[in-house]
Amino acid sequence: MSGLRPAALRALPLGQLRPAGWLARQLQTQADGMAGHLDEIWPDVGDSAWIGGSADGWERGPYWLDGVTPLAFLFDDVTLRAKVDRWVAAILDRQTDDGWLSQCGDGQAGTDADPRAAGDAWPRMVVLKALLQYHAATGDERIVKAALRFARSLPPRLDRTPLHDWGRSRWADLVLSLHRLYDLTGESFLLDLAKTVHRQGYDWTAFAESLPYRDKVPQATLDDFRRRAGGVWMNDDMMATHGVNVAMGMKAPAVWSRQSEDPAPPELLGSLLAQLDQHHGQASGLFSADEHLAGRHPSQGTETCAVVEQMFSLETAVEVWGAAEALVDRLERLAYNALPACATVDDRGHQYVQQANQVVSHVTQDRIYTNNGPDANVFGLEPHFGCCTANRHQGWPKFAARLWMATPDDGLLALSYAPCVLETSVHETPVRVEVRGSYPFDDTVTVVVRVEQPGAFPLSLRVPGWAVDPRLSVGDAPPVALDPGSVHRMHREWVGEQVLTLRLPARMRAEQRPNNAVTMWRGPLAFALAVGESWQRKGGHESYPDWEVHPTTPWNYAVELDPADPEKSLTVRRQAGVGPPFSPEGVRLAVHATGRRLANWRVEHGAAGSPPPSPVDTKSGAEQVVLVPYGAARLRVTELPWIPPR
């Protein structure tokens, strides 16, 4: 095979899609909060060696740039664009004569703060991703020239020092950029370089075929990994059990399938997701990783970097393979549940680790985590470690930018229906697509398609697999039935303005969890028992403080329901939220249930103990309890024991 296989979908040029409605407010909160101001209040970005400073010269500045670049162009925010422009100019100015992307300009030495960064390929993989996003938004040809020069500098360096540590685990991010650069230029040496990178990288395809790590990785096992490696911390066992590496490695089979002689099918990633669910799955669609794979206990936790990196891996896989239902469904689960849950409502703080059953967020010496510190579960600027401080900002912008994708037949495809406005061209004809409504909090989506002159092109709509009797109507025409889990394609003549009404009814469903507990779902939203929150400041930055969150209401309930037919026992109520939808005050959908206290279900090792095996037996009196969307509650119980209805 010569060249690359074409991708099934193509990301639209950055800036053609603008978020609207609640999604615009969510992204604006990022711009007003930590993402938009991290360079002003955090030296690891503001004084980064990548722009000539003396602070961190490794991954933190590139991480921030990789997230703030799409954020700036989604809004065409003048202030954020100026910050991005400054960073891009500084990086290009420091490129060495041989093409190496250097923090200091000489390519030989790192910084006093982090000397390991000088010759490490890993942070440059992030820089290259950010630069290519900048090019996608601006068309700035300096980026292509600089990226090609950097790519030409890599072969001799990789010959001398093959990929190792983080770069060996995260090689797919580099190959992804090399492939994008090849699509832009057709330079054949890029494919030879990609082969070298793939050969030196960790085998994520074998990992996906049969998950090699199926139990919680405790500290004693990590110590054993180190002993067997002669004291070297970053061996394959250590790196391949690291949750963020697993999240990033998910994209590897899809990325390499464009070049491989034996391309992996999308079912391979579906199989990996199923294996992770079976052995490490969490109720929000995550797998446990605090920091290493940690089993299915609902208080075990997952690092925030793993949330956004798993989202990007799924977005990449969808671009390569198409809108496979298992992949898009998982992407929505993460975006509408785990992503908002990891940060404060004002986006001025985040957790290093979030838990499905999170009944207290505090500094604790007695903790359930695999190997994270006492403060990993609090909300703040830099709890435990600063990678997530910089990296988490990519989650919402990259998801928003891919709500709609271009198809190979010169059409458009909707992956998810958060409100947005897309202005693009099809066959050189301007097209405007507006998505109205409050999906995923409402069952009806309105899509308004407007063309300046008549033209025929295909428009495709993803139909979620959870939808019950989904239907589509065009204008005043009678609605037509759609197939759940399909992509509905319309190839037609578009004239003037046409209104599509997509109805995606959903039912409450109970997913079984360990100890026969259940997690309640409706559409792409998980629902959790809301626990009253008392926020207690524990120092930190003046404008970005650290917070513990303590419960003000009981949390140890079982709910009355029949898992086979939960709607008989639950009442779904719509309400007018008075704030952002992922906040206690802004809840749009609430589920009312009957609960009974379980006196013997208590906090253990600083977190909620395992749910008692269901069905449980209790003499406690009946109380009314409320379940809210997972992402709206910072204290919550998502895996719930249950009692048969009485």
Side-chain angles (χ1 to χ4, degrees):
M1 184 188 75
S2 61
L4 295 175
R5 291 181 181 84
L9 299 170
R10 186 180 76 254
L12 294 161
L14 191 57
Q16 288 191 354
L17 184 144
R18 306 285 187 202
W22 71 260
L23 181 60
R25 291 190 292 274
Q26 189 77 30
L27 286 159
Q28 188 61 59
T29 300
Q30 275 199 278
D32 294 339
M34 195 185 296
H37 298 279
L38 198 58
D39 59 323
E40 300 167 19
I41 54 97
W42 199 46
D44 280 355
V45 170
D47 193 33
S48 171
W50 285 99
I51 55 172
S54 59
D56 180 86
W58 195 45
E59 65 182 10
R60 295 183 179 184
Y63 267 155
W64 175 76
L65 184 64
D66 189 46
V68 79
T69 297
L71 180 63
F73 286 99
L74 279 168
F75 280 122
D76 197 19
D77 185 293
V78 174
T79 300
L80 287 184
R81 284 192 58 173
K83 293 184 176 189
V84 171
D85 289 344
R86 173 175 173 254
W87 263 75
V88 169
I91 289 170
L92 297 182
D93 286 346
R94 285 169 176 76
Q95 188 169 27
T96 62
D97 290 342
D98 71 349
W100 188 244
L101 295 171
S102 173
Q103 307 93 331
C104 304
D106 58 12
Q108 301 300 317
T111 67
D112 291 339
D114 203 347
R116 66 182 169 172
D120 189 356
W122 155 238
R124 289 157 180 86
M125 299 181 190
V126 188
V127 170
L128 192 57
K129 280 195 303 179
L131 290 178
L132 289 174
Q133 285 192 92
Y134 185 83
H135 176 265
T138 65
D140 189 336
E141 285 303 315
R142 294 179 304 163
I143 302 301
V144 173
K145 293 176 182 177
L148 286 173
R149 291 178 59 215
F150 170 67
R152 289 191 174 96
S153 77
L154 277 172
R157 290 176 180 268
L158 294 178
D159 286 345
R160 294 193 303 269
T161 307
L163 291 176
H164 57 284
D165 300 346
W166 304 103
R168 173 169 160 78
S169 296
R170 300 174 177 183
W171 62 267
D173 282 51
L174 177 53
V175 170
L176 174 64
S177 292
L178 295 176
H179 284 176
R180 288 180 174 171
L181 196 55
Y182 176 84
D183 289 336
L184 289 169
T185 67
E187 292 279 359
S188 60
F189 85 93
L190 294 166
L191 301 186
D192 293 332
L193 174 56
K195 287 180 181 178
T196 299
V197 173
H198 172 257
R199 185 175 63 252
Q200 293 183 1
Y202 180 76
D203 189 351
W204 289 109
T205 296
F207 182 99
E209 288 171 344
S210 180
L211 180 67
Y213 308 101
R214 302 190 173 198
D215 300 310
K216 176 178 176 177
V217 183
Q219 188 61 52
T221 301
L222 297 176
D223 292 341
D224 182 58
F225 288 162
R226 189 177 303 164
R227 281 193 298 271
R228 287 192 281 112
V232 178
W233 188 83
M234 295 180 182
N235 56 71
D236 277 353
D237 284 322
M238 291 291 289
M239 301 304 277
T241 59
H242 188 275
V244 179
N245 288 345
V246 173
M248 298 177 80
M250 280 185 185
K251 71 171 74 68
V255 169
W256 189 243
S257 70
R258 292 196 65 199
Q259 188 171 350
S260 173
E261 296 294 338
D262 183 21
E267 289 78 16
L268 181 62
L269 181 48
S271 172
L272 175 58
L273 291 170
Q275 292 176 77
L276 287 168
D277 285 345
Q278 179 182 355
H279 299 288
H280 306 285
Q282 298 293 292
S284 60
L286 291 168
F287 56 89
S288 64
D290 56 14
E291 291 182 359
H292 294 260
L293 296 173
R296 299 185 73 195
H297 193 297
S299 297
Q300 194 63 64
T302 305
E303 183 182 339
T304 291
C305 276
V307 178
V308 297
E309 291 295 356
Q310 187 177 357
M311 287 179 62
F312 183 61
S313 284
L314 290 167
E315 290 156 2
T316 301
V318 168
E319 184 172 343
V320 172
W321 281 327
E325 177 59 27
L327 306 185
V328 186
D329 177 73
R330 185 62 58 107
L331 176 60
E332 283 199 318
R333 284 189 172 211
L334 297 176
Y336 297 137
N337 298 284
L339 180 60
C342 69
T344 57
V345 174
D346 63 4
D347 208 67
R348 290 177 176 265
H350 75 285
Q351 294 177 292
Y352 192 74
V353 163
Q354 68 170 277
Q355 301 162 306
N357 283 4
Q358 186 165 284
V359 302
V360 61
S361 171
H362 60 156
V363 177
T364 177
Q365 298 298 327
D366 180 19
R367 54 193 182 274
I368 191 174
Y369 315 133
T370 303
N371 66 332
N372 283 339
D375 65 338
N377 190 232
V378 304
F379 290 87
L381 174 66
E382 192 181 357
H384 183 62
F385 195 68
C387 57
C388 299
T389 304
N391 190 28
R392 71 182 182 89
H393 307 294
Q394 67 169 301
W396 281 118
K398 291 184 180 179
F399 176 72
R402 291 166 175 79
L403 291 171
W404 287 76
M405 305 280 280
T407 57
D409 54 1
D410 295 323
L412 299 170
L413 183 148
L415 291 178
S416 189
Y417 298 100
C420 63
V421 176
L422 170 64
E423 293 183 325
T424 187
S425 294
V426 178
H427 302 313
E428 299 184 355
T429 297
V431 178
R432 187 180 193 273
V433 180
E434 181 180 359
V435 179
R436 300 172 182 169
S438 58
Y439 181 93
F441 311 103
D442 197 0
D443 297 346
T444 300
V445 177
T446 301
V447 180
V448 181
V449 182
R450 183 179 301 131
V451 294
E452 292 188 4
Q453 58 189 45
F457 62 88
L459 187 145
S460 300
L461 303 173
R462 167 185 164 258
V463 185
W466 46 257
V468 180
D469 191 23
R471 292 181 178 270
L472 173 68
S473 57
V474 180
D476 296 328
V480 297
L482 304 177
D483 295 325
S486 69
V487 173
H488 181 73
R489 183 176 182 271
M490 296 175 287
H491 194 300
R492 57 180 297 157
E493 182 86 6
W494 301 92
V495 180
E497 180 177 288
Q498 293 176 280
V499 178
L500 316 179
T501 303
L502 182 63
R503 292 181 174 86
L504 302 171
R507 290 179 181 154
M508 295 299 303
R509 60 192 191 276
E511 289 193 358
Q512 187 176 27
R513 303 300 304 162
N515 283 354
N516 206 30
V518 293
T519 293
M520 304 309 305
W521 286 86
R522 188 181 188 280
L525 296 174
F527 283 78
L529 175 72
V531 181
E533 301 172 3
S534 172
W535 289 71
Q536 301 174 16
R537 183 166 180 170
K538 296 296 179 181
H541 188 276
E542 179 180 355
S543 301
Y544 299 82
D546 294 341
W547 299 93
E548 290 188 340
V549 191
H550 292 265
T552 62
T553 58
W555 58 266
N556 50 345
Y557 286 94
V559 293
E560 289 190 7
L561 59 80
D562 175 2
D565 190 6
E567 289 198 327
K568 284 186 176 180
S569 307
L570 305 174
T571 302
V572 179
R573 294 182 182 172
R574 298 189 180 277
Q575 55 194 55
V578 295
F582 295 114
S583 70
E585 301 78 20
V587 169
R588 270 66 165 169
L589 278 177
V591 177
H592 292 250
T594 298
R596 296 179 185 270
R597 293 278 302 279
L598 303 178
N600 293 327
W601 190 14
R602 301 188 179 98
V603 169
E604 301 172 6
H605 302 296
S610 296
S614 294
V616 296
D617 185 18
T618 178
K619 305 300 183 185
S620 298
E623 302 177 47
Q624 289 300 300
V625 297
V626 179
L627 312 183
V628 301
Y630 178 102
R634 303 310 180 267
L635 295 186
R636 57 188 172 261
V637 183
T638 318
E639 298 192 14
L640 288 159
W642 56 273
I643 305 168
R646 299 183 181 180

